[in-house]
Amino acid sequence: MSRFFTTITLAFALVSSADAFFRINCANIQRGRIDPLVNPGTLAAHSHSIVGGSNIGVNATFDSLLNSRCTSCEVGTDKSAYWAPTLYYKYPNGSFYEVYHNGAVVYYLGRGPNVNQTVPFPEGFMILSGDKSARSYDNTTYTYGTEQYPGRPVADRISFNCIDDEIVEKQYMHDTSCKNGMRAQVHFQSCWNGRELYKPDNSHVAYQSAIDNGICPPTHPVQIPHIFLEVLYAVADVPDLTDDGLFVFSQGDPTGYGFHADFQNGWDPDVLANATQNCLATDDFGQISNCPILLDSQSSAFGFNCPEQPPQVDEPTRGLIDKLPGCIEITFGPEAASASSMTCPPSVPRPVIRQTVDSVPLPTVRPAVGSTYPTPNQQYLGCFNDSAGTQRTLTAYSTSNYSFMTVAFCQEICNSRGFRLSGVEYAMECYCDSVINPTAISGWRDCNWNCGGTMDLPQQEVCGGYGYINVYNNTDPDDERLVPARAKETVGKFANKGCLTDPNTSGRALLGPAKFDANMTNEMCVGFCQGEGMHFAGIEFGAECYCGDDINEAGGAVIRTCPVQGLMLCAGNQKQLCGGPSLMTLFYSATL
Ligand SMILES: *[C@@H]1O[C@H](CO)[C@@H](O)[C@H](O)[C@H]1NC(C)=O
Ligand SMILES: *[C@@H]1O[C@H](CO)[C@@H](O)[C@H](O)[C@H]1NC(C)=O
Ligand SMILES: *[C@@H]1O[C@H](CO)[C@@H](O)[C@H](O)[C@H]1NC(C)=O
Ligand SMILES: *[C@@H]1O[C@H](CO)[C@@H](O)[C@H](O)[C@H]1NC(C)=O
Ligand SMILES: *[C@@H]1O[C@H](CO)[C@@H](O)[C@H](O)[C@H]1NC(C)=O
Ligand SMILES: *[C@@H]1O[C@H](CO)[C@@H](O)[C@H](O)[C@H]1NC(C)=O
Ligand SMILES: *[C@@H]1O[C@H](CO)[C@@H](O)[C@H](O)[C@H]1NC(C)=O
Ligand SMILES: *[C@@H]1O[C@H](CO)[C@@H](O)[C@H](O)[C@H]1NC(C)=O
Ligand SMILES: *[C@@H]1O[C@H](CO)[C@@H](O)[C@H](O)[C@H]1NC(C)=O
Ligand SMILES: CC(=O)N[C@H]1CO[C@H](CO)[C@@H](O)[C@@H]1O
């Protein structure tokens, strides 16, 4: 299998046309001693890292998963849960540290001569693959096989890749000094007996003859999608690594032979049926973009939109902890770990399982292009591309605020600054302008990140995507905030006479009384000069007011039309202009 996952390019080169699959990226949804397959309703024996539907918990069922508010996997219609043991590093002083990983990658593979007979997982279907007590390689237990399709050691369902300059794959944790992470991998059974949805000994399912390929045994004739799960552990990022430390999985396994993973179906049945039929047997190279039914609900924002949930089991599993959760003893094998080394005696106090209320799916508002949202004067113009490498779609102003960002929050930011156009991007960013950059193109479907500020609301709205922006236009002709700043036409008896140059070579353009005020406005300066008994009032550089009865023409001052650009906002009124550098906004009245 390693051939797929070294790089995408390599996968493209090596995958044959029979090797169809799709790949779903998932972020963590919860961690802790939860395993509704093996220990429904109660504490699991060891700690798991779980990805998928947000309703995962000790009582999770097909219905509760399907009802999850969201999934931490990129396909929104897959609310299944997938989990694997948590990996720890044991320091020489006995403390444990949880090894960082950011979720899992789940592959759905279509393999073997009967791939076109693959049926979707039934509702309520569950599988566990692997054996938590294994501590050595079992070379005697084989999958079903025939001469044409030989069997293979079942132990090959587990493998580890050390991602370094060279990638080496073996069936155990053979190397933990991997610069770019250690990847643990599990193949699931893809043959079903057609009867039970789950049996505690997993005898309702069997492996294909070659595990990731081949035929199903006659006892388990129904071919189901083949799940292959990968978790990439950042083994090199553990602080204070020493030669005397030990990487150990949560079931007390320092070998890796006991790695395992669970799947609890939470797929929208129609979607899984469609994807099984159309995307597993054809030549699609793992791209969700080639599978229309999955693309419909695909979001690159799965981690943002569906963040990790608080742990239901009230005990520490993250960071630095003083023992493995659940009385787990470390056992090195080669004999299988005993049940007692992985179980708490009844005398040990049990952590509380927090009562949680199953969530329900949240609607996401997606206004149609041309419609208004959320108020009747805000017209949605569409999803535009907005790559950081090119000029942005809206360039005049931008800000970022994850916890508060909503469409309306950004509209207010932009409109209050005088910009008609507002754009939300990347869940948290807001861009403003009066015009759209002509290179930007609308009509994209990649605006699918929920706004950070709607995280806790009963309804979600969309705030762009990674490199994509939702643009809104405030079309209200009467919105005062959008009227560009300008000088007043009249202030009382005083009329605006345009601009007066103030070359400042031989005295000011107006030689009477003057004042500076941090709250300067047109009205303030006119009022001041009128009070001083002067006929001219001139405002310069935003906050300086000059008065006079004559213009200092000898000093080079002349009246001219005001320039379109270069005038300054009044220090005391952002909607008024108050001259500029060496230039006055001029008011005059013949009578006082
Ligand atoms: C054990 O060692 C680790 C790594 O040096 C350290 O972070 C931790 O605090 C130590 N634990 C105790 C209990 O001293
Ligand atoms: C499965 O069906 C597809 C589409 O009809 C076909 O291209 C492919 O060859 C079939 N695969 C097998 C193994 O029969
Ligand atoms: C299985 O492994 C054992 C122990 O390493 C070895 O002695 C035996 O020959 C192996 N059997 C097969 C069939 O490879
Ligand atoms: C599968 O989904 C695609 C995309 O939504 C749709 O066009 C197609 O009709 C569906 N096929 C079946 C068999 O339902
Ligand atoms: C799980 O279900 C049982 C039986 O309905 C209930 O007693 C228990 O409180 C539930 N646990 C949680 C954490 O919801
Ligand atoms: C939008 O995409 C076009 C075509 O790929 C590109 O030329 C343009 O620079 C992009 N514009 C932005 C704002 O990203
Ligand atoms: C985000 O917006 C809120 C509400 O306006 C404000 O209180 C907060 O300071 C802002 N945070 C940042 C980082 O700007
Ligand atoms: C935004 O609305 C205003 C007022 O209706 C209109 O003049 C302007 O052309 C619109 N801008 C865009 C980019 O649609
Ligand atoms: C400007 O106006 C504000 C608000 O009216 C006031 O608090 C401030 O003291 C004024 N500043 C000056 C320099 O007059
Ligand atoms: C040559 C001249 O008139 N310079 C004046 C320019 O303005 C400053 C500040 O008002 C005066 O200090 C200079 O005398």
PDB file of all heavy atoms in Angstrom, residues 395-419:
ATOM      1  N   THR A 395      -9.326  45.259  -2.065  1.00  0.00           N
ATOM      2  CA  THR A 395      -7.970  45.570  -1.583  1.00  0.00           C
ATOM      3  C   THR A 395      -7.874  46.781  -0.659  1.00  0.00           C
ATOM      4  O   THR A 395      -6.809  47.059  -0.130  1.00  0.00           O
ATOM      5  CB  THR A 395      -7.026  45.833  -2.777  1.00  0.00           C
ATOM      6  OG1 THR A 395      -7.556  46.929  -3.514  1.00  0.00           O
ATOM      7  CG2 THR A 395      -6.920  44.632  -3.675  1.00  0.00           C
ATOM      8  N   ALA A 396      -8.965  47.546  -0.463  1.00  0.00           N
ATOM      9  CA  ALA A 396      -8.792  48.832   0.219  1.00  0.00           C
ATOM     10  C   ALA A 396      -8.566  48.692   1.720  1.00  0.00           C
ATOM     11  O   ALA A 396      -7.851  49.488   2.323  1.00  0.00           O
ATOM     12  CB  ALA A 396     -10.011  49.717  -0.029  1.00  0.00           C
ATOM     13  N   TYR A 397      -9.170  47.691   2.330  1.00  0.00           N
ATOM     14  CA  TYR A 397      -9.042  47.548   3.780  1.00  0.00           C
ATOM     15  C   TYR A 397      -9.269  46.085   4.119  1.00  0.00           C
ATOM     16  O   TYR A 397     -10.063  45.407   3.466  1.00  0.00           O
ATOM     17  CB  TYR A 397     -10.084  48.418   4.514  1.00  0.00           C
ATOM     18  CG  TYR A 397     -10.011  48.288   6.019  1.00  0.00           C
ATOM     19  CD1 TYR A 397      -9.047  48.989   6.744  1.00  0.00           C
ATOM     20  CD2 TYR A 397     -10.878  47.444   6.718  1.00  0.00           C
ATOM     21  CE1 TYR A 397      -8.959  48.845   8.129  1.00  0.00           C
ATOM     22  CE2 TYR A 397     -10.793  47.294   8.099  1.00  0.00           C
ATOM     23  CZ  TYR A 397      -9.834  47.993   8.793  1.00  0.00           C
ATOM     24  OH  TYR A 397      -9.735  47.850  10.159  1.00  0.00           O
ATOM     25  N   SER A 398      -8.586  45.589   5.153  1.00  0.00           N
ATOM     26  CA  SER A 398      -8.871  44.224   5.599  1.00  0.00           C
ATOM     27  C   SER A 398      -8.604  44.089   7.079  1.00  0.00           C
ATOM     28  O   SER A 398      -7.805  44.836   7.659  1.00  0.00           O
ATOM     29  CB  SER A 398      -8.021  43.210   4.832  1.00  0.00           C
ATOM     30  OG  SER A 398      -6.678  43.332   5.197  1.00  0.00           O
ATOM     31  N   THR A 399      -9.285  43.150   7.678  1.00  0.00           N
ATOM     32  CA  THR A 399      -9.068  42.857   9.088  1.00  0.00           C
ATOM     33  C   THR A 399      -9.469  41.405   9.331  1.00  0.00           C
ATOM     34  O   THR A 399      -9.992  40.744   8.433  1.00  0.00           O
ATOM     35  CB  THR A 399      -9.875  43.816   9.992  1.00  0.00           C
ATOM     36  OG1 THR A 399      -9.560  43.548  11.361  1.00  0.00           O
ATOM     37  CG2 THR A 399     -11.370  43.632   9.794  1.00  0.00           C
ATOM     38  N   SER A 400      -9.192  40.913  10.515  1.00  0.00           N
ATOM     39  CA  SER A 400      -9.439  39.505  10.823  1.00  0.00           C
ATOM     40  C   SER A 400      -9.923  39.398  12.265  1.00  0.00           C
ATOM     41  O   SER A 400      -9.424  40.090  13.141  1.00  0.00           O
ATOM     42  CB  SER A 400      -8.129  38.737  10.624  1.00  0.00           C
ATOM     43  OG  SER A 400      -8.273  37.419  11.074  1.00  0.00           O
ATOM     44  N   ASN A 401     -10.930  38.556  12.494  1.00  0.00           N
ATOM     45  CA  ASN A 401     -11.443  38.392  13.856  1.00  0.00           C
ATOM     46  C   ASN A 401     -12.255  37.097  13.890  1.00  0.00           C
ATOM     47  O   ASN A 401     -13.445  37.088  13.589  1.00  0.00           O
ATOM     48  CB  ASN A 401     -12.306  39.602  14.231  1.00  0.00           C
ATOM     49  CG  ASN A 401     -12.662  39.637  15.708  1.00  0.00           C
ATOM     50  OD1 ASN A 401     -12.759  38.611  16.361  1.00  0.00           O
ATOM     51  ND2 ASN A 401     -12.871  40.839  16.220  1.00  0.00           N
ATOM     52  N   TYR A 402     -11.606  35.983  14.222  1.00  0.00           N
ATOM     53  CA  TYR A 402     -12.254  34.674  14.094  1.00  0.00           C
ATOM     54  C   TYR A 402     -13.553  34.579  14.910  1.00  0.00           C
ATOM     55  O   TYR A 402     -14.599  34.207  14.387  1.00  0.00           O
ATOM     56  CB  TYR A 402     -11.295  33.555  14.514  1.00  0.00           C
ATOM     57  CG  TYR A 402     -11.924  32.193  14.375  1.00  0.00           C
ATOM     58  CD1 TYR A 402     -12.124  31.643  13.114  1.00  0.00           C
ATOM     59  CD2 TYR A 402     -12.360  31.482  15.481  1.00  0.00           C
ATOM     60  CE1 TYR A 402     -12.738  30.413  12.955  1.00  0.00           C
ATOM     61  CE2 TYR A 402     -12.978  30.253  15.337  1.00  0.00           C
ATOM     62  CZ  TYR A 402     -13.155  29.724  14.072  1.00  0.00           C
ATOM     63  OH  TYR A 402     -13.768  28.510  13.920  1.00  0.00           O
ATOM     64  N   SER A 403     -13.471  34.924  16.191  1.00  0.00           N
ATOM     65  CA  SER A 403     -14.604  34.651  17.079  1.00  0.00           C
ATOM     66  C   SER A 403     -15.840  35.471  16.764  1.00  0.00           C
ATOM     67  O   SER A 403     -16.937  35.113  17.173  1.00  0.00           O
ATOM     68  CB  SER A 403     -14.212  34.907  18.532  1.00  0.00           C
ATOM     69  OG  SER A 403     -13.074  34.176  18.839  1.00  0.00           O
ATOM     70  N   PHE A 404     -15.664  36.587  16.093  1.00  0.00           N
ATOM     71  CA  PHE A 404     -16.795  37.476  15.845  1.00  0.00           C
ATOM     72  C   PHE A 404     -17.210  37.526  14.383  1.00  0.00           C
ATOM     73  O   PHE A 404     -18.212  38.148  14.050  1.00  0.00           O
ATOM     74  CB  PHE A 404     -16.469  38.895  16.337  1.00  0.00           C
ATOM     75  CG  PHE A 404     -16.537  39.028  17.833  1.00  0.00           C
ATOM     76  CD1 PHE A 404     -15.476  38.626  18.620  1.00  0.00           C
ATOM     77  CD2 PHE A 404     -17.672  39.526  18.449  1.00  0.00           C
ATOM     78  CE1 PHE A 404     -15.538  38.716  20.002  1.00  0.00           C
ATOM     79  CE2 PHE A 404     -17.748  39.629  19.826  1.00  0.00           C
ATOM     80  CZ  PHE A 404     -16.677  39.220  20.610  1.00  0.00           C
ATOM     81  N   MET A 405     -16.419  36.908  13.493  1.00  0.00           N
ATOM     82  CA  MET A 405     -16.694  37.134  12.072  1.00  0.00           C
ATOM     83  C   MET A 405     -18.002  36.478  11.637  1.00  0.00           C
ATOM     84  O   MET A 405     -18.225  35.291  11.819  1.00  0.00           O
ATOM     85  CB  MET A 405     -15.528  36.596  11.220  1.00  0.00           C
ATOM     86  CG  MET A 405     -15.607  37.053   9.769  1.00  0.00           C
ATOM     87  SD  MET A 405     -15.689  38.866   9.607  1.00  0.00           S
ATOM     88  CE  MET A 405     -14.106  39.352  10.315  1.00  0.00           C
ATOM     89  N   THR A 406     -18.868  37.319  11.100  1.00  0.00           N
ATOM     90  CA  THR A 406     -20.074  36.862  10.417  1.00  0.00           C
ATOM     91  C   THR A 406     -20.180  37.735   9.173  1.00  0.00           C
ATOM     92  O   THR A 406     -19.441  38.714   9.021  1.00  0.00           O
ATOM     93  CB  THR A 406     -21.340  37.068  11.267  1.00  0.00           C
ATOM     94  OG1 THR A 406     -21.500  38.468  11.512  1.00  0.00           O
ATOM     95  CG2 THR A 406     -21.271  36.324  12.583  1.00  0.00           C
ATOM     96  N   VAL A 407     -21.113  37.418   8.297  1.00  0.00           N
ATOM     97  CA  VAL A 407     -21.303  38.231   7.100  1.00  0.00           C
ATOM     98  C   VAL A 407     -21.666  39.665   7.514  1.00  0.00           C
ATOM     99  O   VAL A 407     -21.096  40.640   7.019  1.00  0.00           O
ATOM    100  CB  VAL A 407     -22.394  37.608   6.209  1.00  0.00           C
ATOM    101  CG1 VAL A 407     -22.774  38.546   5.075  1.00  0.00           C
ATOM    102  CG2 VAL A 407     -21.912  36.274   5.655  1.00  0.00           C
ATOM    103  N   ALA A 408     -22.597  39.792   8.471  1.00  0.00           N
ATOM    104  CA  ALA A 408     -23.042  41.128   8.886  1.00  0.00           C
ATOM    105  C   ALA A 408     -21.922  41.903   9.600  1.00  0.00           C
ATOM    106  O   ALA A 408     -21.809  43.118   9.446  1.00  0.00           O
ATOM    107  CB  ALA A 408     -24.258  41.006   9.804  1.00  0.00           C
ATOM    108  N   PHE A 409     -21.098  41.201  10.362  1.00  0.00           N
ATOM    109  CA  PHE A 409     -19.995  41.848  11.079  1.00  0.00           C
ATOM    110  C   PHE A 409     -19.046  42.497  10.072  1.00  0.00           C
ATOM    111  O   PHE A 409     -18.610  43.634  10.236  1.00  0.00           O
ATOM    112  CB  PHE A 409     -19.274  40.779  11.914  1.00  0.00           C
ATOM    113  CG  PHE A 409     -18.197  41.288  12.834  1.00  0.00           C
ATOM    114  CD1 PHE A 409     -18.522  41.887  14.047  1.00  0.00           C
ATOM    115  CD2 PHE A 409     -16.853  41.136  12.503  1.00  0.00           C
ATOM    116  CE1 PHE A 409     -17.523  42.329  14.914  1.00  0.00           C
ATOM    117  CE2 PHE A 409     -15.854  41.572  13.358  1.00  0.00           C
ATOM    118  CZ  PHE A 409     -16.187  42.173  14.566  1.00  0.00           C
ATOM    119  N   CYS A 410     -18.754  41.780   8.995  1.00  0.00           N
ATOM    120  CA  CYS A 410     -17.845  42.306   7.970  1.00  0.00           C
ATOM    121  C   CYS A 410     -18.518  43.439   7.192  1.00  0.00           C
ATOM    122  O   CYS A 410     -17.879  44.452   6.892  1.00  0.00           O
ATOM    123  CB  CYS A 410     -17.410  41.173   7.044  1.00  0.00           C
ATOM    124  SG  CYS A 410     -16.339  41.690   5.696  1.00  0.00           S
ATOM    125  N   GLN A 411     -19.789  43.266   6.891  1.00  0.00           N
ATOM    126  CA  GLN A 411     -20.498  44.342   6.177  1.00  0.00           C
ATOM    127  C   GLN A 411     -20.429  45.635   6.978  1.00  0.00           C
ATOM    128  O   GLN A 411     -20.183  46.716   6.430  1.00  0.00           O
ATOM    129  CB  GLN A 411     -21.963  43.930   5.957  1.00  0.00           C
ATOM    130  CG  GLN A 411     -22.126  42.823   4.930  1.00  0.00           C
ATOM    131  CD  GLN A 411     -23.532  42.232   4.906  1.00  0.00           C
ATOM    132  OE1 GLN A 411     -24.325  42.422   5.837  1.00  0.00           O
ATOM    133  NE2 GLN A 411     -23.841  41.506   3.845  1.00  0.00           N
ATOM    134  N   GLU A 412     -20.606  45.520   8.283  1.00  0.00           N
ATOM    135  CA  GLU A 412     -20.580  46.707   9.144  1.00  0.00           C
ATOM    136  C   GLU A 412     -19.173  47.328   9.151  1.00  0.00           C
ATOM    137  O   GLU A 412     -19.026  48.551   9.056  1.00  0.00           O
ATOM    138  CB  GLU A 412     -21.019  46.309  10.556  1.00  0.00           C
ATOM    139  CG  GLU A 412     -20.895  47.390  11.608  1.00  0.00           C
ATOM    140  CD  GLU A 412     -21.758  48.609  11.331  1.00  0.00           C
ATOM    141  OE1 GLU A 412     -22.795  48.456  10.645  1.00  0.00           O
ATOM    142  OE2 GLU A 412     -21.391  49.715  11.777  1.00  0.00           O
ATOM    143  N   ILE A 413     -18.158  46.466   9.242  1.00  0.00           N
ATOM    144  CA  ILE A 413     -16.780  46.970   9.235  1.00  0.00           C
ATOM    145  C   ILE A 413     -16.537  47.796   7.968  1.00  0.00           C
ATOM    146  O   ILE A 413     -16.017  48.909   8.016  1.00  0.00           O
ATOM    147  CB  ILE A 413     -15.779  45.785   9.311  1.00  0.00           C
ATOM    148  CG1 ILE A 413     -15.786  45.184  10.707  1.00  0.00           C
ATOM    149  CG2 ILE A 413     -14.370  46.226   8.909  1.00  0.00           C
ATOM    150  CD1 ILE A 413     -14.986  43.882  10.821  1.00  0.00           C
ATOM    151  N   CYS A 414     -16.931  47.240   6.827  1.00  0.00           N
ATOM    152  CA  CYS A 414     -16.629  47.906   5.559  1.00  0.00           C
ATOM    153  C   CYS A 414     -17.520  49.138   5.372  1.00  0.00           C
ATOM    154  O   CYS A 414     -17.032  50.221   5.038  1.00  0.00           O
ATOM    155  CB  CYS A 414     -16.820  46.932   4.397  1.00  0.00           C
ATOM    156  SG  CYS A 414     -15.643  45.566   4.421  1.00  0.00           S
ATOM    157  N   ASN A 415     -18.812  48.969   5.570  1.00  0.00           N
ATOM    158  CA  ASN A 415     -19.736  50.071   5.317  1.00  0.00           C
ATOM    159  C   ASN A 415     -19.443  51.247   6.232  1.00  0.00           C
ATOM    160  O   ASN A 415     -19.525  52.405   5.823  1.00  0.00           O
ATOM    161  CB  ASN A 415     -21.187  49.606   5.491  1.00  0.00           C
ATOM    162  CG  ASN A 415     -21.592  48.535   4.475  1.00  0.00           C
ATOM    163  OD1 ASN A 415     -22.614  47.893   4.638  1.00  0.00           O
ATOM    164  ND2 ASN A 415     -20.795  48.328   3.419  1.00  0.00           N
ATOM    165  N   SER A 416     -19.074  50.964   7.487  1.00  0.00           N
ATOM    166  CA  SER A 416     -18.808  52.067   8.408  1.00  0.00           C
ATOM    167  C   SER A 416     -17.538  52.813   8.017  1.00  0.00           C
ATOM    168  O   SER A 416     -17.325  53.930   8.451  1.00  0.00           O
ATOM    169  CB  SER A 416     -18.703  51.552   9.839  1.00  0.00           C
ATOM    170  OG  SER A 416     -17.554  50.749   9.968  1.00  0.00           O
ATOM    171  N   ARG A 417     -16.700  52.180   7.194  1.00  0.00           N
ATOM    172  CA  ARG A 417     -15.517  52.874   6.684  1.00  0.00           C
ATOM    173  C   ARG A 417     -15.773  53.492   5.316  1.00  0.00           C
ATOM    174  O   ARG A 417     -14.843  53.924   4.646  1.00  0.00           O
ATOM    175  CB  ARG A 417     -14.334  51.904   6.615  1.00  0.00           C
ATOM    176  CG  ARG A 417     -13.755  51.619   7.976  1.00  0.00           C
ATOM    177  CD  ARG A 417     -12.709  50.532   7.948  1.00  0.00           C
ATOM    178  NE  ARG A 417     -12.030  50.465   9.229  1.00  0.00           N
ATOM    179  CZ  ARG A 417     -12.550  49.929  10.326  1.00  0.00           C
ATOM    180  NH1 ARG A 417     -13.740  49.393  10.300  1.00  0.00           N
ATOM    181  NH2 ARG A 417     -11.869  49.933  11.453  1.00  0.00           N
ATOM    182  N   GLY A 418     -17.012  53.450   4.874  1.00  0.00           N
ATOM    183  CA  GLY A 418     -17.361  54.096   3.621  1.00  0.00           C
ATOM    184  C   GLY A 418     -17.242  53.196   2.405  1.00  0.00           C
ATOM    185  O   GLY A 418     -17.378  53.653   1.275  1.00  0.00           O
ATOM    186  N   PHE A 419     -16.976  51.881   2.616  1.00  0.00           N
ATOM    187  CA  PHE A 419     -16.851  50.964   1.478  1.00  0.00           C
ATOM    188  C   PHE A 419     -18.162  50.220   1.267  1.00  0.00           C
ATOM    189  O   PHE A 419     -18.695  49.618   2.198  1.00  0.00           O
ATOM    190  CB  PHE A 419     -15.724  49.963   1.707  1.00  0.00           C
ATOM    191  CG  PHE A 419     -14.379  50.599   1.888  1.00  0.00           C
ATOM    192  CD1 PHE A 419     -13.737  50.579   3.118  1.00  0.00           C
ATOM    193  CD2 PHE A 419     -13.753  51.248   0.826  1.00  0.00           C
ATOM    194  CE1 PHE A 419     -12.496  51.175   3.289  1.00  0.00           C
ATOM    195  CE2 PHE A 419     -12.513  51.844   0.995  1.00  0.00           C
ATOM    196  CZ  PHE A 419     -11.887  51.809   2.231  1.00  0.00           C
TER     197      PHE A 419
END
